[in-house]
Amino acid sequence: MSNITRVLFALLCVIVIACGGGGPGDPGGGSGGVGPFSSIRLEAVLDGTTIVIDPTNVFVGEKVKFKLTAIDGGVVGNPRITLNINNWSMTGTPGGSLASNGLYSGSPTASVSTGTASASFEGLTFTSSVRVVQPQAVITGKIRLTTGQGVSKLQIQALDASANVVATGLSGADGMIRMSLPTTATKFNVDFSIADPTLIYYIRQFAYNGKDYSPGVSGCVAPLPTLTN
C-alpha cells in the first residue's frame, strides 16, 4: 500500500429546505446503557481505532469492527453509546469472516461479490453491505451540511472519461468517506437518493473546491485530480 495515492477532499452539501421531524425513540433494553435509546445507527470502524470507514471499501487484510450506537435518553446529556450486541451475522460471500461480536476480518484478496452484515436490537434489524477491495488510488474526506453536521449514507460515484461509474463509496455515520478507485477515474458525482432517511434535510447540490455542482443537471460533475497507483 506504499504506492497508494491519497487524495483529500471535502464536500459541502447545500441545505435547500428543512421539513418534518424526528419520531419517538426505540425502547431501551439495558444493552450497555440506561435507555430509552433513540437514533440507533450501524457504524463500521477500523479495529482498535475510532476511524469510521465505508464497509463496502474494506481493504484487503483489514480488521473492521461493526457496532450499533444509540443516544441514551436515560443519562444526563443524552450521550451516544455503543450497544452491547453479540448477534452479528453475515450472509453472502464478501471475502473474510464476521464474528458474533461484530469483528470482521477481511480476506487477503479482493472479493468478487458483496455480503451483508446484520445485527438486531429490540426487535429491529440493522444491515450493511460488505465488500473487500484491493486499494488503488484512495480518496478520503468528509461530507457535511453547511451547518457542519456530517452526512451519512451519501454515495460518491467515481466516473471515467466516458461517464461510466467505475467505483462507489458511502459516507459513514460521521460523514467521513474513504474509498478506492482506479486511476481511470477523472470525475465524481454524489448520489443523494440513498441518504440517511433520518435526516430532515432535502439536499440537491454539493460544493467542492469552491464550486457548486448539481447531480440533477446532466454532465454537472466535479473533476478529480490526476490519480496514480
Side-chain angles (χ1 to χ4, degrees), residues 6 24 37 45 62 78 98 110 115 206 209:
R6 295 190 179 273
F37 302 112
V45 300
E62 282 187 331
N78 298 332
L98 178 64
F206 65 93
N209 274 355

PDB file of all heavy atoms in Angstrom, residues 6 24 37 45 62 78 98 110 115 206 209:
ATOM      1  N   ARG A   6      -3.246   9.151  -2.141  1.00  0.00           N
ATOM      2  CA  ARG A   6      -4.323   9.565  -1.255  1.00  0.00           C
ATOM      3  C   ARG A   6      -4.714  11.001  -1.587  1.00  0.00           C
ATOM      4  O   ARG A   6      -3.907  11.906  -1.511  1.00  0.00           O
ATOM      5  CB  ARG A   6      -3.906   9.455   0.214  1.00  0.00           C
ATOM      6  CG  ARG A   6      -3.638   8.020   0.631  1.00  0.00           C
ATOM      7  CD  ARG A   6      -3.469   7.889   2.128  1.00  0.00           C
ATOM      8  NE  ARG A   6      -3.239   6.506   2.500  1.00  0.00           N
ATOM      9  CZ  ARG A   6      -4.198   5.632   2.735  1.00  0.00           C
ATOM     10  NH1 ARG A   6      -5.451   6.007   2.614  1.00  0.00           N
ATOM     11  NH2 ARG A   6      -3.919   4.397   3.077  1.00  0.00           N
ATOM     12  N   PRO A  24     -40.559   8.982  17.707  1.00  0.00           N
ATOM     13  CA  PRO A  24     -40.226   8.532  19.050  1.00  0.00           C
ATOM     14  C   PRO A  24     -39.034   7.606  19.052  1.00  0.00           C
ATOM     15  O   PRO A  24     -38.749   6.934  18.066  1.00  0.00           O
ATOM     16  CB  PRO A  24     -41.504   7.793  19.491  1.00  0.00           C
ATOM     17  CG  PRO A  24     -42.128   7.343  18.208  1.00  0.00           C
ATOM     18  CD  PRO A  24     -41.829   8.437  17.226  1.00  0.00           C
ATOM     19  N   PHE A  37     -33.472   4.271  24.238  1.00  0.00           N
ATOM     20  CA  PHE A  37     -32.487   4.595  23.220  1.00  0.00           C
ATOM     21  C   PHE A  37     -33.173   5.135  21.967  1.00  0.00           C
ATOM     22  O   PHE A  37     -34.272   4.706  21.616  1.00  0.00           O
ATOM     23  CB  PHE A  37     -31.672   3.350  22.848  1.00  0.00           C
ATOM     24  CG  PHE A  37     -30.958   2.743  24.022  1.00  0.00           C
ATOM     25  CD1 PHE A  37     -31.331   1.502  24.511  1.00  0.00           C
ATOM     26  CD2 PHE A  37     -29.930   3.417  24.642  1.00  0.00           C
ATOM     27  CE1 PHE A  37     -30.684   0.940  25.599  1.00  0.00           C
ATOM     28  CE2 PHE A  37     -29.271   2.866  25.732  1.00  0.00           C
ATOM     29  CZ  PHE A  37     -29.645   1.624  26.217  1.00  0.00           C
ATOM     30  N   VAL A  45     -15.903   0.700  12.028  1.00  0.00           N
ATOM     31  CA  VAL A  45     -14.660   1.417  12.305  1.00  0.00           C
ATOM     32  C   VAL A  45     -13.490   0.457  12.168  1.00  0.00           C
ATOM     33  O   VAL A  45     -13.633  -0.759  12.362  1.00  0.00           O
ATOM     34  CB  VAL A  45     -14.654   2.039  13.723  1.00  0.00           C
ATOM     35  CG1 VAL A  45     -15.789   3.034  13.882  1.00  0.00           C
ATOM     36  CG2 VAL A  45     -14.752   0.962  14.790  1.00  0.00           C
ATOM     37  N   GLU A  62      -7.727  -6.046   6.235  1.00  0.00           N
ATOM     38  CA  GLU A  62      -8.093  -5.162   7.339  1.00  0.00           C
ATOM     39  C   GLU A  62      -9.056  -5.844   8.311  1.00  0.00           C
ATOM     40  O   GLU A  62      -9.830  -6.721   7.931  1.00  0.00           O
ATOM     41  CB  GLU A  62      -8.752  -3.880   6.819  1.00  0.00           C
ATOM     42  CG  GLU A  62      -7.790  -2.866   6.260  1.00  0.00           C
ATOM     43  CD  GLU A  62      -8.456  -1.556   5.912  1.00  0.00           C
ATOM     44  OE1 GLU A  62      -9.652  -1.546   5.570  1.00  0.00           O
ATOM     45  OE2 GLU A  62      -7.760  -0.528   5.962  1.00  0.00           O
ATOM     46  N   ASN A  78     -27.684  12.977  27.365  1.00  0.00           N
ATOM     47  CA  ASN A  78     -28.060  12.093  26.254  1.00  0.00           C
ATOM     48  C   ASN A  78     -26.861  11.716  25.383  1.00  0.00           C
ATOM     49  O   ASN A  78     -26.819  12.015  24.188  1.00  0.00           O
ATOM     50  CB  ASN A  78     -29.141  12.747  25.386  1.00  0.00           C
ATOM     51  CG  ASN A  78     -30.422  13.002  26.157  1.00  0.00           C
ATOM     52  OD1 ASN A  78     -30.735  12.298  27.106  1.00  0.00           O
ATOM     53  ND2 ASN A  78     -31.165  14.017  25.755  1.00  0.00           N
ATOM     54  N   LEU A  98     -17.011 -12.777   9.824  1.00  0.00           N
ATOM     55  CA  LEU A  98     -17.582 -11.869  10.808  1.00  0.00           C
ATOM     56  C   LEU A  98     -17.905 -12.641  12.077  1.00  0.00           C
ATOM     57  O   LEU A  98     -18.686 -13.599  12.056  1.00  0.00           O
ATOM     58  CB  LEU A  98     -18.853 -11.213  10.256  1.00  0.00           C
ATOM     59  CG  LEU A  98     -19.606 -10.269  11.197  1.00  0.00           C
ATOM     60  CD1 LEU A  98     -18.755  -9.053  11.538  1.00  0.00           C
ATOM     61  CD2 LEU A  98     -20.927  -9.833  10.568  1.00  0.00           C
ATOM     62  N   ALA A 110      -9.012  -9.452  -2.836  1.00  0.00           N
ATOM     63  CA  ALA A 110     -10.262  -8.736  -3.074  1.00  0.00           C
ATOM     64  C   ALA A 110     -11.393  -9.712  -3.376  1.00  0.00           C
ATOM     65  O   ALA A 110     -11.177 -10.776  -3.962  1.00  0.00           O
ATOM     66  CB  ALA A 110     -10.089  -7.756  -4.226  1.00  0.00           C
ATOM     67  N   GLY A 115     -21.352  -9.024   0.480  1.00  0.00           N
ATOM     68  CA  GLY A 115     -22.131  -9.694   1.507  1.00  0.00           C
ATOM     69  C   GLY A 115     -22.923  -8.691   2.319  1.00  0.00           C
ATOM     70  O   GLY A 115     -22.848  -7.479   2.084  1.00  0.00           O
ATOM     71  N   PHE A 206     -24.099  20.057  -4.339  1.00  0.00           N
ATOM     72  CA  PHE A 206     -22.948  19.987  -3.453  1.00  0.00           C
ATOM     73  C   PHE A 206     -21.874  20.955  -3.926  1.00  0.00           C
ATOM     74  O   PHE A 206     -21.855  21.379  -5.087  1.00  0.00           O
ATOM     75  CB  PHE A 206     -22.394  18.559  -3.368  1.00  0.00           C
ATOM     76  CG  PHE A 206     -21.827  18.010  -4.652  1.00  0.00           C
ATOM     77  CD1 PHE A 206     -20.475  18.128  -4.946  1.00  0.00           C
ATOM     78  CD2 PHE A 206     -22.639  17.349  -5.565  1.00  0.00           C
ATOM     79  CE1 PHE A 206     -19.944  17.612  -6.116  1.00  0.00           C
ATOM     80  CE2 PHE A 206     -22.121  16.827  -6.745  1.00  0.00           C
ATOM     81  CZ  PHE A 206     -20.768  16.958  -7.022  1.00  0.00           C
ATOM     82  N   ASN A 209     -14.252  22.317  -3.765  1.00  0.00           N
ATOM     83  CA  ASN A 209     -13.197  23.243  -4.192  1.00  0.00           C
ATOM     84  C   ASN A 209     -13.752  24.598  -4.623  1.00  0.00           C
ATOM     85  O   ASN A 209     -13.321  25.187  -5.613  1.00  0.00           O
ATOM     86  CB  ASN A 209     -12.378  22.634  -5.330  1.00  0.00           C
ATOM     87  CG  ASN A 209     -11.250  21.754  -4.811  1.00  0.00           C
ATOM     88  OD1 ASN A 209     -11.024  21.669  -3.605  1.00  0.00           O
ATOM     89  ND2 ASN A 209     -10.553  21.090  -5.710  1.00  0.00           N
TER      90      ASN A 209
END
